[in-house]
Amino acid sequence: MHEIVTLQLGHRANYLATHFWNAQESYFDYGATSEPSTIDHDIHFRAGQGPKGEDTYTPRTLIYDLKGGFGGLRKWGGLYDQGDVDDTANNLWWERDGNVVKQQDAPITQSAYQKALDEGLENPPKLNSQTVRYWSDFTRVFYHPRSIVRINDYELRSTIVPFEKWDSGEELFSKLDKDHDLLDRDIRPWAEECDQLQAIQIFASADDAWGGFASKYIESLRDEYGKTSIWFWGLEEQAGQGQRAKQLIRIVNNAQSLQSISSMASMYIPLAVPAYLPPYIGLDQSSQWHVSGLLSMALESMTLPSRQKPGDAIRGLLGAMEAALNANGNQRIAQLQCSVVDASERHLGTAENPQATNDQRIPGGSNMQNLEYEDEPEKAKSNLDMSFSTGEPSHTALSLRQWEKSNHVFGKVESLRGVPWIGHQMDDDVTKSRKRRRLALLPPMESFPDGIIKSGSPARNIAIHATLSTTTQISKRTKGLANIVSRTVGVSEREALSNGLGEIAEAYEEGWDSGSDEGSSD
């Protein structure tokens, strides 16, 4: 069946994952008149039974968050409980004079949106950046009880004992694993339910303590599931945000995550708000709901082929994507890029009756000549206008095209949603068999911030062109991190970390001479 098990590590990761699960829920067929979905829901969801014998269908996921991070989420994910709200994250127990004393914080109330969903209202109140306080405020799916993993050792947003340094995450995992054997308690029940486990995908912030936690987790996963694909999506704050001391901590955390996790994961994809945002994007960068929504559009579109129904010609398992990206065997860090097009605004037409467009961001526009080289990825210079890798200078769409020409591409996978290929019919073998797939439009979702795409509206499907690629830009970014680390990290860690980053950078230079299209190795 090629199932995928998901790990969500931390509050920011849970915002991103909530958008992901809401997108999967939008593909469900709820009525007899609905068109059959092309999505194989069993890849990410599992069938089960509730406490009264009713059928359930819940995500194959584990959700880790700190004390107070689950917001108003019900005790057992909402589907299995008896209407009680979880108060375990708001309770503190200690012993005094031989007696157990309980201190209870005020419970976090459900959002109006969640209450409306529980009551079955057809028109729940519209969400905005002020009403979304926690990721659970906008979730549209029910979770299995064993998906919820609350960690009470740290408190969300604590300024007294912040969960921000990489070493703190390593220490927390080691402590919990010693007490509970996390793989045996949390992972194994999900993995043993799978007929044929395709991959484990992990969402985590790479620039705080969750990076250290994820590193130790992946080390254990790799020991137990040696040949299984492990995809790590590492969230990073946009460069230059916050106080300088905090920025340095995040940079060092990023360097440690990159050096450690990329050596164990099958693919490592950094995720951050682009340094340059095109004019059609309206983003509230103070809202995690907004930021994670933008990131989720690209991530969900890029991985969509991995959950197509069996026999679908556009199905592409994560392992096949790895093979295309990791061309030389040691290139496991990829960068994510995308462009968003409102199909109803752009009048794109169909594959059978295409209409030419001058939009530089989509195939069939004036940059069509740059998209002809499926078998020669280094020549495929698609003009996408958002890059989700950090460390890149601010630029306009024009300078981004110049930036692409200065970087060699080792491997590339593309995913196109609702974008027609000029000159190709849908039954053409080229359209189906290469590492470039045309997929359904992104459906409208009421839980998604509609203001992100200025030209769109909540009722419209969205066309997206997304790519993952391994390029020489990764070497440049890694060298930049190594340079900062050499000046900020203590002597005891500096040499190992700098050497590790240097080895990563070399893997994205081998056989490539910037002055030659052919490439050469010394």
Side-chain angles (χ1 to χ4, degrees):
M1 192 183 296
H2 300 292
E3 298 92 342
I4 296 174
V5 173
T6 301
L7 283 175
Q8 307 170 204
L9 306 180
H11 203 62
R12 285 155 59 198
N14 289 331
Y15 268 91
L16 177 66
T18 300
H19 281 295
F20 176 84
W21 294 121
N22 287 351
Q24 307 320 302
E25 189 267 347
S26 72
Y27 301 131
F28 289 167
D29 304 323
Y30 286 115
T33 59
S34 301
E35 292 186 9
S37 174
T38 62
I39 303 299
D40 182 358
H41 300 298
D42 291 335
I43 288 177
H44 280 290
F45 286 76
R46 63 176 295 278
Q49 284 192 329
K52 298 179 181 179
E54 67 275 24
D55 292 334
T56 62
Y57 204 49
T58 52
R60 301 180 189 275
T61 192
L62 282 158
I63 307 171
Y64 291 77
D65 214 330
L66 303 180
K67 180 178 183 287
F70 287 85
L73 189 71
R74 294 201 173 189
K75 185 171 185 178
W76 299 112
L79 191 62
Y80 289 77
D81 47 70
Q82 306 300 318
D84 51 341
V85 175
D86 182 17
D87 64 353
T88 57
N90 302 308
N91 295 343
L92 178 64
W93 299 79
W94 76 94
E95 190 171 323
R96 185 177 66 191
D97 300 328
N99 298 315
V100 175
V101 179
K102 176 183 177 182
Q103 174 183 318
Q104 183 172 3
D105 296 334
I108 299 171
T109 58
Q110 272 190 311
S111 67
Y113 181 79
Q114 285 299 312
K115 290 179 180 177
L117 292 181
D118 287 348
E119 294 169 2
L121 300 182
E122 293 185 4
N123 297 307
K126 191 172 182 178
L127 294 165
N128 57 55
S129 297
Q130 287 69 47
T131 58
V132 176
R133 309 156 300 165
Y134 303 89
W135 56 265
S136 58
D137 287 342
F138 66 100
T139 184
R140 291 188 57 84
V141 300
F142 291 110
Y143 300 102
H144 191 277
R146 68 169 184 252
S147 286
I148 311 300
V149 185
R150 293 174 170 84
I151 298 176
N152 290 325
D153 300 67
Y154 289 86
E155 187 170 359
L156 182 68
R157 305 187 186 100
S158 173
T159 57
I160 300 174
V161 187
F163 192 57
E164 64 180 11
K165 292 192 175 181
W166 208 80
D167 293 344
S168 299
E170 281 194 310
E171 293 168 3
L172 177 61
F173 179 88
S174 298
K175 173 183 178 296
L176 295 176
D177 194 44
K178 180 180 179 181
D179 293 342
H180 305 290
D181 190 346
L182 295 185
L183 259 64
D184 193 56
R185 185 193 72 177
D186 296 344
I187 287 287
R188 201 177 309 281
W190 295 99
E192 290 180 349
E193 286 182 345
C194 300
D195 293 333
Q196 187 177 358
L197 182 61
Q198 175 187 167
I200 298 171
Q201 70 172 1
I202 301 172
F203 303 144
S205 42
D207 59 0
D208 59 19
W210 285 109
F213 190 93
S215 177
K216 296 295 288 185
Y217 214 135
I218 293 172
E219 181 181 345
S220 296
L221 288 171
R222 189 51 79 200
D223 289 341
E224 184 71 17
Y225 304 98
K227 296 183 179 180
T228 302
S229 291
I230 299 176
W231 280 50
F232 180 80
W233 302 86
L235 289 157
E236 304 175 6
E237 293 281 0
Q238 189 180 40
Q241 298 294 314
Q243 299 176 348
R244 179 172 174 77
K246 297 289 186 181
Q247 290 182 44
L248 289 175
I249 290 174
R250 291 202 302 267
I251 291 171
V252 173
N253 288 341
N254 274 332
Q256 290 176 301
S257 293
L258 192 71
Q259 188 268 336
S260 176
I261 296 174
S262 68
S263 67
M264 299 180 289
S266 306
M267 292 305 303
Y268 182 114
I269 303 100
L271 289 176
V273 174
Y276 163 79
L277 287 172
Y280 65 85
I281 293 293
L283 189 69
D284 179 359
Q285 296 199 32
S286 67
S287 168
Q288 277 296 325
W289 178 52
H290 263 247
V291 169
S292 57
L294 178 64
L295 300 178
S296 73
M297 288 194 303
L299 181 156
E300 203 277 327
S301 297
M302 196 65 245
T303 59
L304 189 57
S306 67
R307 45 189 172 274
Q308 295 292 311
K309 286 183 176 177
D312 193 323
I314 59 175
R315 189 179 196 184
L317 303 183
L318 295 182
M321 295 187 193
E322 292 168 25
L325 292 166
N326 190 4
N328 297 327
N330 58 352
Q331 296 167 328
R332 293 184 289 271
I333 304 170
Q335 56 189 17
L336 178 66
Q337 294 178 301
C338 89
S339 285
V340 180
V341 182
D342 187 331
S344 61
E345 292 280 341
R346 297 291 175 179
H347 305 294
L348 298 180
T350 65
E352 291 75 16
N353 183 28
Q355 299 177 20
T357 173
N358 292 320
D359 197 318
Q360 295 287 334
R361 298 166 292 158
I362 63 174
S366 59
N367 69 331
M368 182 61 191
Q369 68 278 6
N370 293 327
L371 296 170
E372 294 286 346
Y373 302 97
E374 286 96 344
D375 292 326
E376 298 179 83
E378 71 278 3
K379 295 182 181 179
K381 307 291 187 180
S382 52
N383 295 328
L384 305 183
D385 53 14
M386 285 186 287
S387 176
F388 296 96
S389 297
T390 57
E392 297 165 9
S394 298
H395 42 239
T396 64
L398 178 61
S399 62
L400 176 57
R401 293 197 291 275
Q402 295 171 343
W403 170 85
E404 286 182 321
K405 292 179 181 179
S406 68
N407 287 278
H408 178 76
V409 180
F410 297 102
K412 188 172 187 178
V413 179
E414 299 189 64
S415 177
L416 299 105
R417 308 190 70 158
V419 180
W421 282 97
I422 307 302
H424 288 304
Q425 298 296 317
M426 282 306 294
D427 58 354
D428 189 347
D429 288 341
V430 173
T431 316
K432 292 183 175 181
S433 63
R434 303 292 173 84
K435 301 305 180 191
R436 175 177 289 162
R437 297 176 173 87
R438 184 178 184 273
L439 304 163
L441 293 158
L442 181 69
M445 292 174 283
E446 63 183 24
S447 62
F448 190 82
D450 55 51
I452 286 183
I453 303 174
K454 294 179 181 178
S455 61
S457 75
R460 288 175 177 165
N461 294 329
I462 302 299
I464 295 175
H465 180 194
T467 71
L468 275 177
S469 59
T470 48
T471 78
T472 49
Q473 176 64 19
I474 295 166
S475 175
K476 298 172 186 177
R477 190 222 171 179
T478 305
K479 286 180 178 179
L481 284 174
N483 182 46
I484 296 175
V485 163
S486 67
R487 294 181 280 110
T488 56
V489 175
V491 177
S492 59
E493 299 176 284
R494 184 183 306 161
E495 183 175 358
L497 186 53
S498 296
N499 290 343
L501 292 172
E503 291 176 4
I504 291 172
E506 288 176 4
Y508 295 88
E509 294 177 332
E510 185 178 354
W512 168 240
D513 181 354
S514 61
S516 170
D517 289 338
E518 298 296 325
S520 61
S521 58
D522 297 331

